[in-house]
Amino acid sequence: MIKRILCKDLYEEIERLERSVIELEEQIIELKTQLNMKTEEATSLYIENQSLRHKIEMLEKSHRRLIGMLKQMKIPFVVVNEDEFEDVEIDK
């Protein structure tokens, strides 16, 4: 009798543990999927960042060439740093 009760308790505990293992495996699969998605997102953002850096470098290079060309042509120009000036409203 005691053997049956002990065995029954052990079987129930084994079943509970098996269910827990299955739940943990499902969580692992879900976490792996999320990790893969985050990795893909990070890779995509890295590629986009590199592309934007390249575009900025090209714009800076074009800007320098344009200024150099204007200097060679001796065309007067003024370079204004917009950060140093406040916005001013002008009444028309």
Side-chain angles (χ1 to χ4, degrees), residues 17 39 43 50 61 64-65 73 79 82-83:
L17 289 172
T39 302
T43 302
Q50 291 300 101
K61 189 175 180 180
R64 284 191 300 272
R65 271 195 251 138
M73 297 172 68
V79 177
E82 293 178 10
D83 296 334

Side-chain angles (χ1 to χ4, degrees), residues 59-71:
L59 286 171
E60 288 173 343
K61 189 175 180 180
S62 296
H63 182 257
R64 284 191 300 272
R65 271 195 251 138
L66 180 60
I67 289 177
M69 184 176 69
L70 290 172
K71 284 180 180 178

Side-chain angles (χ1 to χ4, degrees), residues 29-45:
I29 291 170
E30 184 179 327
L31 289 171
K32 281 183 180 179
T33 301
Q34 290 177 6
L35 178 62
N36 287 338
M37 289 172 55
K38 292 293 182 184
T39 302
E40 289 174 9
E41 182 181 357
T43 302
S44 175
L45 289 172

